[in-house]
Amino acid sequence: TAAALTKDVAGLRASLRSKEDQLDQEQRRRQGLERDLASLRGSISPKLLGLKGKLENIAILIDRSGSMDTRIADKAGSRWDSALAMVNNWLYFLPVQKCVLITFNDRCVAFPPDGLVSMVGDEGQTNRVRLILQLHGLKPEGNTDTFSALQTAYNLGGPDKVDTIIIFTDGAPYLPPQSGSRSASMEAGGKNAFSKQMMKDVLALSARHPGVPVNTVAIGDYYIRKEFTEFLMDLSGETGGVFLGK
């Protein structure tokens, strides 16, 4: 009927206005980020943060497994919120040349997917904002495939290889193994055995890429599990990076 049609049209108009408002808000947020970035970009020395490496072509790896959604007892927000706050600030302020972001849980996703983007000049200002916005709306879920994230970082860049890695994580590496890959001893050991095996695999992988420091940033109550803390300290120490507990 005409009344129903009029109602549908009104609903569509309201929906369109809502979408336009959302776009306007996103545009204002982007413009605000760009203004902040223009005035503050590159104003923090990596030495003040304790980071090691050339820090020219960097890969920032962010654990987005389910445990990252855990709230931090003495802070507002979750482990994921804490990691994002640090990543946002470091993307704003670190005077790096090129960068790639890699999030990982059961799979890893690189932003951008095909290499590193410039972080210098006007193009770099735009890219810094784009990288920050890529993280908005992501939710922690799943397991912790640290091995694939690190492998992705090593493989990216073409002639502009990653020279420094920063990894934010709250838990030991773990990914349920493929069917048929379980040995009897690992099967008996359960999740902890698979986690320990991935730790060994990660350390072996990093040993094949000397000269690329891995700076490890531990989030939350990482210190409860001694073997996990030791794993992150070994990963940073053996590659020439630094271990930071947050």
Side-chain angles (χ1 to χ4, degrees):
T1 66
L5 181 59
T6 300
K7 183 178 180 181
D8 290 342
V9 170
L12 289 172
R13 287 176 174 171
S15 177
L16 180 60
R17 284 195 297 271
S18 176
K19 294 294 184 183
E20 289 175 341
D21 289 342
Q22 292 176 14
L23 288 173
D24 287 342
Q25 291 175 6
E26 184 65 25
Q27 181 65 22
R28 286 195 295 271
R29 182 171 67 173
R30 178 185 290 270
Q31 291 171 347
L33 286 173
E34 290 176 344
R35 285 194 299 271
D36 292 343
L37 193 55
S39 61
L40 298 172
R41 185 178 65 247
S43 61
I44 289 184
S45 167
K47 291 183 179 180
L48 293 178
L49 299 174
L51 299 174
K52 293 184 178 180
K54 291 182 179 179
L55 286 154
E56 294 178 356
N57 300 336
I58 72 168
I60 298 179
L61 283 52
I62 309 170
D63 177 356
R64 59 168 297 211
S65 62
S67 61
M68 287 289 282
D69 203 30
T70 304
R71 296 190 67 82
I72 300 177
D74 58 345
K75 296 182 180 179
S78 65
R79 298 171 183 175
W80 177 250
D81 295 328
S82 179
L84 289 193
M86 282 186 281
V87 171
N88 283 356
N89 286 333
W90 291 8
L91 279 174
Y92 267 146
F93 305 134
L94 283 178
V96 302
Q97 302 297 308
K98 294 186 177 182
C99 181
V100 61
L101 285 182
I102 300 172
T103 63
F104 63 98
N105 45 21
D106 292 275
R107 65 190 187 98
C108 61
V109 179
F111 307 105
D114 53 355
L116 290 74
V117 293
S118 173
M119 304 287 272
V120 179
D122 292 340
E123 179 187 4
Q125 177 179 317
T126 299
N127 287 335
R128 288 173 188 255
V129 172
R130 285 175 175 170
L131 289 177
I132 291 171
L133 293 176
Q134 286 287 351
L135 297 174
H136 291 197
L138 295 181
K139 301 296 182 184
E141 58 185 1
N143 295 292
T144 315
D145 190 358
T146 310
F147 180 88
S148 292
L150 200 61
Q151 188 173 55
T152 298
Y154 287 133
N155 291 339
L156 282 173
D160 299 317
K161 287 291 186 181
V162 167
D163 60 44
T164 309
I165 294 173
I166 305 171
I167 180 169
F168 294 81
T169 184
D170 76 327
Y174 175 72
L175 186 69
Q178 297 273 336
S179 176
S181 66
R182 305 171 183 236
S183 67
S185 60
M186 288 183 69
E187 190 73 48
K191 178 175 179 178
N192 194 46
F194 293 119
S195 179
K196 288 182 177 180
Q197 182 59 50
M198 188 181 282
M199 290 185 200
K200 293 179 181 178
D201 293 342
V202 167
L203 292 175
L205 175 64
S206 66
R208 296 197 295 271
H209 295 82
V212 182
V214 180
N215 298 277
T216 57
V217 184
I219 308 292
D221 54 358
Y222 58 88
Y223 45 81
I224 291 178
R225 289 187 59 186
K226 180 181 177 182
E227 69 272 22
F228 170 56
T229 304
E230 290 177 346
F231 159 69
L232 290 183
M233 294 181 73
D234 288 343
L235 178 57
S236 59
E238 292 177 11
T239 60
V242 67
F243 169 84
L244 301 171
K246 298 294 182 178

